[in-house]
């Protein structure tokens, strides 16, 4: 149980960081939020891979890791869009609201 949690945190950190590199543009996300998105993506990716039988292969589970990365990219894109959409048109941005 503890090993699974530590594994999710480590893989989540790697997957979250890779996702931020792959999502184009600037993301106004903290490191902690990136870690949370990566952990959630790692857990969901593992769950989906286990449902389809892709998680129990010999060697490295490439399909599972690619699925985790794809989910993390989607998660980072969604969270980055949510965090930047609330900042448009505010004071100090140089934009006016109509």
């Amino acid at each position: 149980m503890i090993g699974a949690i530590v594994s999710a945190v480590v893989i989540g950190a790697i997957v979250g960081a890779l996702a931020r590199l792959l999502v184009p543009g600037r993301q106004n996300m903290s490191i902690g939020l990136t870690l949370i998105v990566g952990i959630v993506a790692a857990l969901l990716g593992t769950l989906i891979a286990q449902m389809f039988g892709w998680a129990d292969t010999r060697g490295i589970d490439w399909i599972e890791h690619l699925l985790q990365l794809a989910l993390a990219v989607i998660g980072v894109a969604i969270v980055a869009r949510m965090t930047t959409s609330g900042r448009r048109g505010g004071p100090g941005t140089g934009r006016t609201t109509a």
Side-chain angles (χ1 to χ4, degrees):
M1 179 69 178
I2 297 296
I5 293 171
V6 170
S7 164
V9 169
V10 170
I11 291 173
I14 294 168
V15 167
L18 283 174
R20 283 198 57 182
L21 289 173
L22 293 175
V23 173
R26 182 171 181 216
Q27 301 92 27
N28 282 332
M29 295 174 57
S30 67
I31 294 172
L33 191 56
T34 303
L35 182 63
I36 291 171
V37 170
I39 291 171
V40 169
L43 293 174
L44 283 176
T46 299
L47 249 163
I48 293 170
Q50 286 178 350
M51 284 175 32
F52 288 104
W54 299 333
D56 296 324
T57 60
R58 284 188 268 159
I60 299 173
D61 299 324
W62 291 109
I63 296 173
E64 179 182 2
H65 294 311
L66 288 174
L67 182 60
Q68 290 170 339
L69 181 59
L71 290 171
V73 166
I74 292 168
V76 165
I78 290 171
V79 171
R81 177 157 296 192
M82 288 172 49
T83 57
T84 58
S85 66
R87 297 176 190 220
R88 292 186 183 148
T93 61
R95 298 182 186 138
T96 58
T97 56

